[in-house]
Amino acid sequence: MGRTKLFGCLDIGTTTIKVIVAEYVNREMNVIGVASNRSEGLSRGVIIDIDRVAETIKKTVEEVEQKTNVHIDSIVLGIPANQLKIEPATGMISVSDNSQSREITDRDVQDVANAALMQNLPPKREVISIFANEFIVDGFDEIKDPRGMVGLRLEMRGTMYTGPQTIIHNATKAVEYAGLKVADYVVEPMAIGQTVLNDGEQDFGTVVIDVGGGQTTAAVIHDHKLKFTYVDQEAGDFITKDISVVLNTSMEDAEKIKRNYGFADSSSASDEDKFLVKVVGQDDKVQVDEKYLSEIIEARLKQIFENVKNALDKYSALDLPGGVVLTGGTSAIPGIKELAEDILETHVRIYVPEQIGLRHPEFTTSVSLITYSGKQTEIQGLVKDALMGNMVDQKKFDQEEDNRWHKKKINKEDKDKESFKVGEPLKKSASNVKDFFKNFFD
């Protein structure tokens, strides 16, 4: 049977707070529980009231626990791209204190990751995540997993993601006030990119645009790495506010109107299809046609996409072969794909999660967090554990390995003896005998 792991991930969005619990069996994800509640205490993706956010997190976690009968004490926390900085990180350690080579262990991997983390950060910034791109053993590079190799010197070349201390501190405190621990921090656009893009799109380069409720995030993924992010502080909530102001209706009614009658491309909307609007201060409802509504929505979306385009054009990112993948709750508005293609001048597709019960783009970030966490390699897990301070006790690990090897050897010897007794011959085992765009954004 395959090894089963449980993961719980937290997506603190401006509009909703979501918690997903999933199990991984043989690297296949199975979502076993999800809950979401209206966000309180956030503005434009940033926590402004820790206590209110903590209350919502606690409530959402309790709902998931009731659904799944699984107790959650730690969570993988998504961190938005606000003021995110991406920079190289390098570290080097001596594997041995003398001139004698020895095998590289799990602890050595963590030690070289710690060496890479020992860089002087600017004031008020903190490391969110670190990713190992390659290891170098005694000058031999492009090594993905150095464990078991022998050498004197181990180096790591990686990518470090840093963010404002305030954002990370407030999110961490909200989780702790909810009675939980943070098991890992994940940069949201990095998780989204590795989830919504296929191998070719990640390799040759693609832009992912997440149009959420509180903000819009554009991320450039190239060579399977997050290379650039841009955050625009306008998104779905601004569209709702525009509808509320122009039609003189409440925010609650404006949100319902947007979801039920909204269309992003006014040229395809009809002025004959009408709906009733409850106007503040009037007893009688007012008729509004869908074309007029779409003009309100289109105006705001045009502004958002033009801001994104201006930021991406500085790096010629929209010339990448993968084009644009659009996701986030606001991307569910009909006609948004055509509008985005017209403004961004590249091909666009919309990503919708495939998991049952989560088939709406508003769940993309949550699904991406759980998928990214479950598919991390052992090496990446060791590097991230070093960041979180979860260091391997190598002596204890070695002793456990010795015990497992000893038991395995005894079992094999007993099996071989038994085979020999019944006259069966012992079986002998036979021995079985991307440069394109490589430096883009580097």
Side-chain angles (χ1 to χ4, degrees), residues 316-351:
S316 301
L318 291 170
D319 295 333
L320 290 168
V324 169
V325 175
L326 197 61
T327 193
T330 304
S331 68
I333 297 177
I336 195 170
K337 175 182 179 293
E338 292 74 17
L339 180 65
E341 286 181 331
D342 182 53
I343 296 172
L344 301 175
E345 299 178 323
T346 188
H347 59 278
V348 176
R349 73 175 173 89
I350 296 178
Y351 175 83

XYZ file of all heavy atoms in Angstrom, residues 316-351:
260
model
N 8.701 42.290 -21.104
C 8.269 41.543 -22.297
C 7.664 40.193 -21.926
O 7.763 39.227 -22.676
C 9.454 41.341 -23.254
O 9.993 42.580 -23.660
N 7.035 40.131 -20.759
C 6.504 38.858 -20.259
C 5.348 38.329 -21.091
O 5.147 37.114 -21.186
C 6.065 39.014 -18.795
N 4.593 39.239 -21.698
C 3.448 38.797 -22.492
C 3.869 38.210 -23.836
O 3.023 37.721 -24.586
C 2.469 39.960 -22.691
C 1.736 40.404 -21.420
C 0.973 41.697 -21.655
C 0.793 39.317 -20.925
N 5.166 38.267 -24.143
C 5.679 37.622 -25.353
C 6.037 36.158 -25.119
O 6.398 35.460 -26.079
C 6.933 38.364 -25.856
C 6.620 39.778 -26.312
O 5.469 40.019 -26.727
O 7.527 40.631 -26.258
N 5.948 35.686 -23.892
C 6.266 34.293 -23.596
C 5.281 33.361 -24.306
O 4.102 33.690 -24.460
C 6.218 34.047 -22.085
C 7.349 34.698 -21.270
C 7.040 34.644 -19.781
C 8.689 34.029 -21.554
N 5.740 32.186 -24.730
C 4.900 31.282 -25.528
C 3.620 30.823 -24.847
O 2.628 30.534 -25.508
C 5.829 30.087 -25.794
C 7.201 30.615 -25.618
C 7.107 31.674 -24.573
N 3.641 30.739 -23.508
C 2.479 30.200 -22.806
C 1.305 31.138 -22.721
O 0.203 30.722 -22.323
N 1.508 32.420 -23.073
C 0.414 33.379 -22.993
C -0.007 33.633 -21.554
O 0.826 33.750 -20.665
N -1.322 33.706 -21.335
C -1.879 34.035 -20.017
C -2.869 32.971 -19.581
O -3.692 32.514 -20.378
C -2.578 35.411 -20.042
C -3.380 35.657 -18.767
C -1.561 36.523 -20.237
N -2.764 32.577 -18.312
C -3.773 31.736 -17.688
C -4.471 32.584 -16.631
O -3.824 33.137 -15.738
C -3.170 30.476 -17.051
C -4.245 29.686 -16.298
C -2.537 29.594 -18.124
N -5.773 32.710 -16.762
C -6.579 33.573 -15.905
C -7.327 32.719 -14.886
O -7.908 31.691 -15.232
C -7.569 34.345 -16.772
C -8.252 35.589 -16.206
C -7.228 36.652 -15.849
C -9.239 36.132 -17.241
N -7.302 33.148 -13.629
C -8.038 32.405 -12.598
C -8.426 33.364 -11.475
O -8.269 34.572 -11.587
C -7.196 31.219 -12.082
O -8.037 30.350 -11.314
C -6.017 31.684 -11.239
N -8.940 32.824 -10.368
C -9.460 33.661 -9.290
C -10.964 33.843 -9.442
O -11.521 33.697 -10.544
N -11.646 34.172 -8.355
C -13.106 34.234 -8.352
C -13.703 35.146 -9.405
O -14.733 34.832 -10.016
N -13.062 36.291 -9.666
C -13.607 37.249 -10.625
C -13.504 36.746 -12.055
O -14.245 37.206 -12.940
C -12.892 38.604 -10.473
O -13.026 39.049 -9.105
C -13.483 39.666 -11.374
N -12.608 35.793 -12.314
C -12.466 35.258 -13.674
C -13.683 34.429 -14.094
O -13.777 34.008 -15.249
C -11.201 34.410 -13.794
O -11.297 33.216 -13.043
N -14.621 34.213 -13.172
C -15.850 33.480 -13.507
C -16.869 34.360 -14.221
O -17.876 33.856 -14.732
C -16.469 32.902 -12.238
N -16.620 35.674 -14.291
C -17.556 36.558 -14.991
C -17.523 36.240 -16.477
O -16.462 36.256 -17.104
C -17.185 38.040 -14.757
C -17.305 38.392 -13.271
C -18.102 38.952 -15.583
C -16.886 39.823 -12.956
N -18.673 35.947 -17.090
C -18.703 35.629 -18.530
C -18.121 36.766 -19.366
O -18.331 37.940 -19.069
C -20.198 35.432 -18.810
C -20.801 35.084 -17.487
C -20.008 35.843 -16.473
N -17.374 36.400 -20.397
C -16.813 37.391 -21.302
C -15.462 37.929 -20.903
O -14.838 38.694 -21.647
N -14.951 37.533 -19.726
C -13.678 38.089 -19.244
C -12.493 37.595 -20.076
O -11.507 38.303 -20.256
C -13.475 37.781 -17.742
C -12.358 38.656 -17.170
C -13.192 36.300 -17.511
C -12.237 38.592 -15.663
N -12.587 36.378 -20.592
C -11.508 35.834 -21.423
C -11.311 36.689 -22.679
O -10.182 37.058 -23.026
C -11.826 34.386 -21.814
C -10.840 33.748 -22.788
C -11.277 32.332 -23.141
C -10.312 31.686 -24.129
N -10.352 32.361 -25.452
N -12.411 37.009 -23.362
C -12.334 37.795 -24.581
C -11.813 39.211 -24.305
O -11.010 39.758 -25.078
C -13.706 37.866 -25.246
C -14.213 36.538 -25.817
C -14.681 35.550 -24.755
O -14.923 35.977 -23.605
O -14.815 34.357 -25.085
N -12.251 39.784 -23.190
C -11.783 41.125 -22.821
C -10.294 41.110 -22.517
O -9.547 42.002 -22.952
C -12.566 41.630 -21.610
C -12.184 43.029 -21.111
C -12.528 44.082 -22.161
C -12.891 43.345 -19.785
N -9.845 40.101 -21.786
C -8.424 39.990 -21.444
C -7.569 39.804 -22.690
O -6.493 40.404 -22.814
C -8.216 38.824 -20.474
N -8.025 38.984 -23.620
C -7.277 38.770 -24.868
C -7.156 40.065 -25.664
O -6.104 40.351 -26.261
C -7.951 37.690 -25.711
C -7.747 36.287 -25.175
C -8.399 35.229 -26.033
O -9.421 35.541 -26.691
O -7.907 34.086 -26.027
N -8.214 40.849 -25.660
C -8.221 42.103 -26.417
C -7.225 43.105 -25.832
O -6.506 43.787 -26.562
C -9.634 42.692 -26.415
C -9.729 43.977 -27.228
O -9.326 43.963 -28.404
O -10.174 44.992 -26.673
N -7.159 43.185 -24.508
C -6.287 44.176 -23.860
C -4.842 43.678 -23.761
O -3.891 44.424 -24.021
C -6.836 44.523 -22.465
C -8.202 45.191 -22.589
C -5.867 45.439 -21.715
C -8.915 45.402 -21.284
N -4.650 42.423 -23.387
C -3.305 41.887 -23.179
C -2.639 41.469 -24.485
O -1.431 41.229 -24.519
C -3.365 40.692 -22.217
C -3.943 40.994 -20.825
C -4.057 39.709 -20.009
C -3.083 42.013 -20.094
N -3.428 41.343 -25.537
C -2.915 41.019 -26.878
C -2.137 39.705 -26.902
O -1.050 39.614 -27.469
C -2.047 42.170 -27.408
C -2.802 43.477 -27.541
C -1.916 44.616 -28.009
O -0.739 44.663 -27.605
O -2.411 45.452 -28.779
N -2.681 38.697 -26.265
C -2.109 37.355 -26.287
C -3.232 36.362 -26.025
O -4.338 36.762 -25.638
C -0.993 37.199 -25.242
O -0.336 35.939 -25.415
C -1.542 37.281 -23.819
N -2.962 35.080 -26.236
C -4.017 34.091 -26.005
C -4.198 33.864 -24.507
O -3.239 33.879 -23.735
C -3.713 32.770 -26.726
C -2.429 32.125 -26.318
N -1.206 32.499 -26.840
C -2.165 31.125 -25.442
C -0.253 31.758 -26.319
N -0.807 30.925 -25.456
N -5.441 33.649 -24.116
C -5.816 33.517 -22.699
C -6.675 32.277 -22.525
O -7.547 31.993 -23.353
C -6.598 34.766 -22.216
C -7.076 34.577 -20.784
C -5.744 36.023 -22.340
N -6.421 31.540 -21.459
C -7.339 30.463 -21.064
C -7.673 30.639 -19.588
O -6.887 31.226 -18.824
C -6.745 29.078 -21.329
C -5.630 28.633 -20.397
C -5.225 27.185 -20.695
N -4.070 26.758 -19.942
C -4.122 26.206 -18.721
N -5.298 26.030 -18.130
N -3.023 25.832 -18.100
N -8.819 30.138 -19.200
C -9.263 30.243 -17.804
C -9.080 28.902 -17.118
O -9.458 27.853 -17.661
C -10.731 30.698 -17.719
C -10.854 32.118 -18.290
C -11.240 30.667 -16.280
C -12.270 32.658 -18.315
N -8.495 28.932 -15.930
C -8.289 27.695 -15.160
C -9.381 27.557 -14.102
O -9.659 28.496 -13.335
C -6.930 27.680 -14.473
C -6.747 26.475 -13.570
C -6.343 25.248 -14.097
C -7.003 26.558 -12.200
C -6.201 24.140 -13.283
C -6.870 25.448 -11.381
C -6.460 24.245 -11.925
O -6.332 23.140 -11.115
